[in-house]
Amino acid sequence: MKRNSTEMKRRMSGRWLSAFNALAPALSQAMSKLGENVPCPVAGGTDGFRLFKDANFTGGGVKQSLRVIPEGIDMLMWVNDWSFPEAYDALSEWLDGKSVRPGPVYLPKPKEVDETSLRAWLNRIWGESMPLTETLSYPARAYFSYRRVLRAALRSKDIRFHPNLNYKGKGGVLLGTYPAILCLVRNNAGSPVGIHRTFITKGGLKVEMEEGYKTRKLTPTVSKESKGRVIRVMEPVAGVMGIAEGLETALSVFEARSFSVWPGLSNTMLQSFVPPTGVHTVINFLDKDRNKASENSAVIVEQNLTSRGIRVFNLLPPIRILDSDRKGVDWADQWCRDPKGFWELDKLLRDLSVHAA
């Protein structure tokens, strides 16, 4: 039997949600919140998956920062772990009114959080921290100096230093106590919801962790239902601001051009970002990833912002990816390797009539 995917897509337009309800129950939460981030139906987590608002006509969505899943057949293949023939034949049988065995449901139950205790802990470690200008904050200043972004880091009140912060592994086991750079993470309303931690040595280098543990960690967050997770490094100027995935990318752009950029810590978190009132233009400083993750995510970011009447410009660093660059390059690499490579940003800011802060 010849399987005509083009004809199948035509027949399924306007029916995908009904088909998903019958064939892919793992998508039920995403279907109830079209256009919003929900836990990934395959990997779990908190907000790593989204069905597009037009999913009933396309069947499309996005899986975290890995890739866009543009069409319903691809979606069924991914979420149910089906081959193309299995997905196509299941749709054919469903359209013919036949009984079809649905795919699996393996959505983990979200972990319950004691928000009162979490708030107390977050307030305590933030209260124990100090400004980067303090003498004891030398490790943090050294860390940012190595990356040529110290001037930018010193400008932000939401970046501080903790001299002795516990690092806990699985099951709450204490793995060590280290100096740490703390960044206050805020939601779209500007309210603090968590703290991003970078564990460093007394000399300002990243701590070498055991395999499976990361040097950078975001704490659990309070107010989980609120949208947006960003570090408000500097205030926007004249209604124009930038966003980026990483802290050092954001600081590098400010160091180079005194232009305010807020890091969202991950591509997934950026997808729900909404700027404060008065911002009419957002420049997205993309990473140049080998797997195109940042560029794929930028499609969702742009859809979210333009639907609110906000102009979006996407900029990729002009430097090329070297063989030694495992994942790709970003604007922090641009700043360190070729500081003259910000010409496209210069032109854009001139066109927008934005002056340096």
Side-chain angles (χ1 to χ4, degrees), residues 52 54 75 111 162-163 187 202 223 227 289 293 298 315 318 334:
F52 296 148
D54 64 353
M75 184 66 69
K111 183 179 179 180
H162 195 295
N187 61 17
K202 292 181 179 179
S223 304
K227 301 295 182 182
D289 298 316
L315 295 183
Q334 183 70 54

Side-chain angles (χ1 to χ4, degrees), residues 7-322:
E7 175 62 17
M8 177 61 74
K9 293 170 191 174
R10 185 193 66 77
R11 294 180 66 191
M12 286 302 303
S13 180
R15 299 180 177 181
W16 279 112
L17 295 185
S18 295
F20 288 161
N21 189 54
L23 304 177
L27 294 173
S28 59
Q29 189 172 4
M31 286 190 286
S32 69
K33 296 183 178 181
L34 287 181
E36 298 183 27
N37 286 347
V38 299
C40 174
V42 174
T46 57
D47 60 355
F49 178 76
R50 174 191 296 181
L51 282 176
F52 296 148
K53 290 183 179 180
D54 64 353
N56 197 35
F57 298 92
T58 66
V62 61
K63 162 67 175 85
Q64 292 187 359
S65 61
L66 297 180
R67 66 184 180 110
V68 172
I69 305 172
E71 299 170 341
I73 296 177
D74 295 327
M75 184 66 69
L76 286 175
M77 292 170 61
W78 170 71
V79 75
N80 287 345
D81 194 24
W82 284 350
S83 64
F84 172 76
E86 287 175 319
Y88 186 97
D89 293 348
L91 285 170
S92 295
E93 293 178 6
W94 178 78
L95 286 169
D96 291 341
K98 298 179 181 178
S99 177
V100 184
R101 183 177 181 179
V105 177
Y106 25 56
L107 182 62
K109 183 179 179 180
K111 183 179 179 180
E112 293 186 5
V113 175
D114 180 353
E115 189 155 311
T116 300
S117 298
L118 177 57
R119 283 184 184 275
W121 175 65
L122 292 172
N123 286 330
R124 179 176 63 80
I125 64 173
W126 188 254
E128 292 170 350
S129 67
M130 61 190 70
L132 299 184
T133 51
E134 292 286 335
T135 301
L136 291 177
S137 298
Y138 167 78
R141 293 196 301 275
Y143 176 90
F144 289 121
S145 292
Y146 296 150
R147 289 155 179 79
R148 301 174 59 186
V149 293
L150 178 58
R151 180 181 69 92
L154 290 172
R155 287 283 298 268
S156 177
K157 67 181 186 305
D158 281 357
I159 302 177
R160 293 170 67 89
F161 173 73
H162 195 295
N164 294 289
L165 190 63
N166 290 340
Y167 189 109
K168 293 185 178 181
K170 297 175 182 178
V173 176
L174 181 63
L175 299 181
T177 301
Y178 308 98
I181 295 167
L182 306 186
C183 297
L184 197 61
V185 178
R186 300 177 183 269
N187 61 17
N188 286 336
S191 301
V193 293
I195 297 174
H196 183 268
R197 301 156 291 169
T198 302
F199 291 89
I200 59 177
T201 67
K202 292 181 179 179
L205 303 176
K206 288 182 183 178
V207 174
E208 293 187 9
M209 296 293 182
E210 299 177 21
E211 186 175 353
Y213 293 98
K214 297 181 179 180
T215 303
R216 296 170 174 163
K217 295 179 69 177
L218 175 63
T219 64
T221 58
V222 297
S223 304
K224 280 190 172 294
E225 295 303 314
S226 65
K227 301 295 182 182
R229 297 290 185 267
V230 293
I231 301 169
R232 295 193 170 195
V233 182
M234 260 72 70
E235 291 304 308
V237 175
V240 182
M241 65 170 293
I243 55 174
E245 180 181 351
L247 172 64
E248 287 152 32
T249 292
L251 295 177
S252 293
V253 176
F254 187 87
E255 197 78 35
R257 293 298 182 270
S258 295
F259 180 70
S260 176
V261 181
W262 291 359
L265 305 178
S266 76
N267 285 319
T268 302
M269 292 183 187
L270 279 176
Q271 291 167 12
S272 60
F273 168 70
V274 177
T277 302
V279 171
H280 53 73
T281 302
V282 170
I283 302 175
N284 191 354
F285 291 87
L286 309 182
D287 294 353
K288 187 184 287 185
D289 298 316
R290 293 186 184 276
N291 64 1
K292 307 292 185 183
S294 185
E295 293 170 72
N296 290 338
S297 178
V299 176
I300 312 302
V301 174
E302 187 167 355
Q303 287 177 346
N304 176 44
L305 296 179
T306 55
S307 68
R308 302 170 188 273
I310 299 169
R311 290 186 299 176
V312 178
F313 297 91
N314 297 313
L315 295 183
L316 281 166
I319 56 171
R320 64 186 182 89
I321 300 175
L322 304 177

Side-chain angles (χ1 to χ4, degrees), residues 309-357:
I310 299 169
R311 290 186 299 176
V312 178
F313 297 91
N314 297 313
L315 295 183
L316 281 166
I319 56 171
R320 64 186 182 89
I321 300 175
L322 304 177
D323 291 341
S324 57
D325 297 317
R326 187 167 59 90
K327 294 183 178 180
V329 293
D330 56 27
W331 285 93
D333 296 312
Q334 183 70 54
W335 172 236
C336 290
R337 297 180 190 177
D338 180 16
K340 296 180 180 179
F342 287 77
W343 55 268
E344 191 174 358
L345 173 61
D346 293 336
K347 180 180 183 302
L348 179 56
L349 293 180
R350 284 196 301 270
D351 292 343
L352 296 172
S353 299
V354 176
H355 302 286

